[in-house]
Amino acid sequence: MLSIKNLQAKIGEKQILQGIDLQINAGEVHAIMGPNGSGKSTLASVLSGREEYEVTEGEVDFLGKNLLELSPEDRAREGIFMAFQYPVEIPGVSTINFMKTALNQIRTYRGQQALDAVSFLGLMKEKMKLVEIDQSLLNRSLNEGFSGGEKKRNEVFQMAMLEPKLSILDETDSGLDIDALRIVANGVNKLRSQNNATIVVTHYQRLLDYIVPDFVHVLYKGRIVKSGTKELALELEAKGYDWIKNEVAAV
Amino acid sequence: MNVATKRDLVSELAASRTRSYSPADQALREDALTYLKNTGLPISKTEEYRFAPVTRILEKNFDSLTLSSQVNTVVSVNEFLIEGLKGNIIVFVNGSYAPALSKIVSNPDQIIIKPLSKALVENEEVVSALLNQKEDYKKDPFSAVNTGLWSEGLFFHVAKHTEVKEPVYLLSLNDASSAVSVHTRIVGWVEEGSEVTLIERFETTGHEAAFHTQVEEISVAKEAVLNYYKIQNDPGKSIQVCNTLIHQSDHSHVNTFTLTMNGEVVRNNFSIAIDGEHCESHFHGLYLLTGNTLADNHTVVDHIKPNSFSNELYKGVMDGHSKGVFNGKIYVRPQAQMTNAFQSNRNVLLSETSTINTKPQLEIWADDVKCSHGCTTGQLDEEALFYLQSRGINKDSARAMLLYAFASDVIATIKDETLKTYFDQLIAERLHKNF
Ligand SMILES: Nc1ncnc2c1ncn2[C@@H]1O[C@H](COP(=O)(O)OP(=O)(O)O)[C@@H](O)[C@H]1O
Ligand SMILES: [Mg+2]
């Protein structure tokens, strides 16, 4: 589904991604872990098309298309979704309103008919249940005055609405208490299928008790320095990141 | 004398004098023009007109400002009416009242609506108590121009304890198929305990130069309510200067909304004199500019008496080579204790060639008051744009969505649903809302 080869990217003069290789197939869940500042959010941003980041080397193929050539909106329409680490607040734009526009522009792109108001509402109700989110929240200005947990839940709600092929969850667990974490993880798990894939970015193993990954990668200083299965996450939890840092330093 | 300009615009203007309607009116006009000859039109160094080169654009656009008034050739104004709005329609074409295009439906026991020229004769006492009483032509040169030259105006007088259900819609249509210079006036009185809605709309057809001044003096008596809307939509080479003064007495409420969209130069000198206790004033403006339009809003909220509340919110979106100017003065006089006065001016610049000059000026002489002001200028929020795009929304729609959201809290203040829908359409169209 997604094939990343030697991806390098910088922001301003600062080189952040130093050559990333990653292969993700349909049905898989990949966890990307690593200490703060290692480039996890940068990778997520580059994949979703944020313009501040300049790709200096490498290729990204998504379902046979050169992802790096597509605009952010076309990437979303092709099936990429990023749940933001820091969702922005947009005064005056409600989640419901912009989701309707988003969904219908995606449908038009795919040659499907726009949803009428009734079908949209039906779909919305169904997805609201999935992430246990209240409609009053969705009527309000996007993320304005939302708690940390409400923002993250709203991200997962949007993901549920758009039914992406590849979801990238950037620290969706940060700022969540254990109940909120369970709800968010539960939503993500219900959306998992053999046809889609998920990248879970986190630096705690805690989330991975709920969203069980097939593979775990450790990102450090812009490189994937270690890959393994879910046991790697437990090992990291036990030993801390210094273990990885020392290993890298020794090479 | 005005030394900076080669031409003597004041004499050109004075030579196109219209007739007067009474001996007192005649005397006032002569005084105003004499005063104007001595002071001249503003030059580029005139502080109050630093960013609004009205005089220079007049020189550029007009070969001569001595213009005779034109005959009315307009046969229909349907395209300039507001769909669904049931009310009084008063149409001025090139500064003359057009009775055939107008329709006064309200009961005259509730509200008297008539051309000011007629009211000067028929309602002399009321008019002379108001005309040039609240507004002093010496405050602004274009107010003096207007006082000397006004050809026609709107007079309205709401009786006591009357809620006028039908709004007063004043359409000022200028036919600029040849150059026009138009000077109109509004005199209004909302008596004790009454309510009325006034909607003013300015439109221009034709592509030649147009110069329009208007002076408005509206008195809002004790416990009365005035809802005031203005739509400035004169395309082309039009220059407009409006001097508006609303005077409030105890317990009165005033809601204003000025929407500026088109024109070469639009200058609004808009003052609210809060000359009563327990008044409320909601003072709103939206300027959505494109092309070469320059819109300059100079506002004054003058708290003269204690215990009143004012809230001013002006927002602007500038694209192309347009220029926005906002100057917001708040005065809190020594007696005006317990005043609450808030002001906010927010701007978005969409292009590198658009500009905004914004200046709050608070002068507070009372000590027990709550006042705040804030102004912001920025581009569209890139983070928010990316967020919307990352959900599959194309960039143009995302931009429109953010701009529309930016304008929406001003639109939300409009209470009348028909008007709200109408303003919403105008604004949505201007901002290319396509979702
Ligand atoms: N806009 C930016 N400008 C400059 N440096 C940035 C910017 N965004 C991120 N960085 C830097 O890039 C590095 C990687 O950041 P990030 O991808 O956010 O890491 P992570 O998500 O793994 O914590 C950090 O050193 C960070 O300071
Ligand atoms: Mg991060």
Side-chain angles (χ1 to χ4, degrees), chain A residues 11 14 16 35-43 53 85 170-171:
Chain A
I11 184 157
K14 188 167 182 189
I16 300 171
N36 269 333
S38 56
K40 303 183 298 294
S41 291
T42 302
L43 176 61
Y53 297 92
Q85 178 172 7
D170 190 4
E171 310 262 3

Side-chain angles (χ1 to χ4, degrees), chain B residues 82 154 156 168-172 184 186 197-203 214 216 218 228-233 240 242 244 257 259 270 423:
Chain B
I82 295 177
L154 166 71
F156 68 90
V168 179
Y169 179 60
L170 172 64
L171 173 65
S172 280
T184 51
I186 295 181
T197 297
L198 174 68
I199 306 152
E200 297 174 34
R201 174 151 162 207
F202 296 87
E203 292 281 349
Q214 180 157 287
E216 309 173 36
I218 303 172
Y228 174 106
Y229 301 93
K230 181 184 271 174
I231 302 161
Q232 297 174 306
N233 193 29
Q240 187 188 114
C242 274
T244 305
F257 186 175
L259 174 64
F270 198 151
F423 272 85

Side-chain angles (χ1 to χ4, degrees), chain B residues 336-355:
Chain B
Q337 299 293 355
M338 312 299 284
T339 288
N340 282 309
F342 305 105
Q343 181 192 84
S344 168
N345 174 234
R346 314 229 168 270
N347 299 286
V348 175
L349 297 176
L350 291 180
S351 65
E352 304 226 316
T353 46
S354 58
T355 59

Side-chain angles (χ1 to χ4, degrees), chain B residues 261-421:
Chain B
M261 304 213 295
N262 282 311
E264 184 165 348
V265 179
V266 180
R267 169 61 178 256
N268 296 316
N269 298 316
F270 198 151
S271 304
I272 299 185
I274 307 177
D275 193 9
E277 295 195 41
H278 305 288
C279 295
E280 263 191 41
S281 321
H282 297 272
F283 202 6
H284 296 136
L286 195 56
Y287 38 102
L288 308 174
L289 312 178
T290 59
N292 286 309
T293 296
L294 184 154
D296 179 346
N297 282 293
H298 266 61
T299 65
V300 178
V301 178
D302 190 359
H303 283 271
I304 301 164
K305 300 260 171 75
N307 294 312
S308 286
F309 168 87
S310 68
N311 186 21
E312 179 173 13
L313 174 62
Y314 269 69
K315 285 188 160 186
V317 177
M318 272 63 60
D319 204 350
H321 287 80
S322 66
K323 294 186 168 68
V325 182
F326 175 79
N327 181 293
K329 295 185 176 72
I330 296 180
Y331 301 131
V332 182
R333 309 264 170 187
Q335 315 86 297
Q337 299 293 355
M338 312 299 284
T339 288
N340 282 309
F342 305 105
Q343 181 192 84
S344 168
N345 174 234
R346 314 229 168 270
N347 299 286
V348 175
L349 297 176
L350 291 180
S351 65
E352 304 226 316
T353 46
S354 58
T355 59
I356 174 76
N357 282 289
T358 171
K359 184 178 178 192
Q361 263 177 284
L362 274 58
E363 293 184 32
I364 299 167
W365 293 282
D367 45 30
D368 192 7
V369 299
K370 276 197 200 115
C371 285
S372 76
H373 70 89
C375 55
T376 57
T377 297
Q379 278 82 36
L380 269 189
D381 181 353
E382 291 290 331
E383 289 283 312
L385 263 183
F386 175 69
Y387 188 93
L388 295 175
Q389 283 179 276
S390 79
R391 297 318 186 224
I393 297 173
N394 70 48
K395 197 165 190 172
D396 286 346
S397 298
R399 275 166 64 103
M401 202 172 261
L402 293 178
L403 288 174
Y404 183 74
F406 174 75
S408 64
D409 57 349
V410 189
I411 306 171
T413 62
I414 305 173
K415 290 190 200 83
D416 180 280
E417 283 304 319
T418 309
L419 271 182
K420 188 187 261 178
T421 306

